[in-house]
Amino acid sequence: QVQLVESGGGLVQAGESLRLSCAVSGIIFRLNVMGWYRQAPGKQRELVAAITSTSSTNYTDSVKGRFTISRDNAKNTVYLQMNSLQPEDTAVYYCNVNVKSGSFFRPRDYWGQGTQVTVSS
C-alpha cells in the first residue's frame, strides 16, 4: 500500500520558518498533483498550495510570497517551505498526493496523517 509520512511541524514564534516534508512510499509509477492542506480549529480544511506534474504551482492568497511548495520526484517527496510564519498559520497541515501505484489500475488520492504547526506571537 502507498503510505505518506509527514514531518517538519512544530512550535515556532512569529516571523520564524519551518519546512514540512511529505514522503511517499510504496511501488510508485507516477506522482501526479501534490499539495498541502491545513485545518485550523473551528475552520474548514483549505488548500494551501499545490504543485502539478509539470511544476505549475498555486497558493491560497494568504500565503503568497511567504510559502513555497516544491517536489523532488527522485525522493517521492513534496515540501512546503513556510517563511514569516504568523499566528493565523496555526493549523494541522495535511499532505495530499495523487499517485499511480503498482497496486491499482488508475491513480488514487492519498492523505498524510497531519502535522501540527503552531505559531506563537
Side-chain angles (χ1 to χ4, degrees), residues 4-12 16-23 35-41 43-50 59-60 62-64 66-69 78-97 110-119:
L4 277 59
V5 178
E6 300 182 28
S7 62
L11 173 64
V12 298
E16 295 182 340
S17 300
L18 285 173
R19 189 178 76 157
L20 306 183
S21 64
C22 175
W36 289 94
Y37 292 73
R38 68 185 180 188
Q39 187 165 23
K43 295 186 177 182
Q44 294 184 340
R45 186 174 299 186
E46 66 169 342
L47 176 66
V48 178
Y59 301 91
T60 190
S62 63
V63 308
K64 288 180 179 178
R66 299 188 297 120
F67 291 9
T68 302
I69 187 170
V78 61
Y79 304 93
L80 185 67
Q81 178 67 46
M82 303 184 294
N83 297 329
S84 301
L85 283 163
Q86 302 299 314
E88 53 264 36
D89 296 316
T90 295
V92 177
Y93 285 71
Y94 297 91
C95 178
N96 175 268
V97 181
Y110 297 87
W111 289 89
Q113 295 300 117
T115 184
Q116 177 70 48
V117 172
T118 302
V119 185

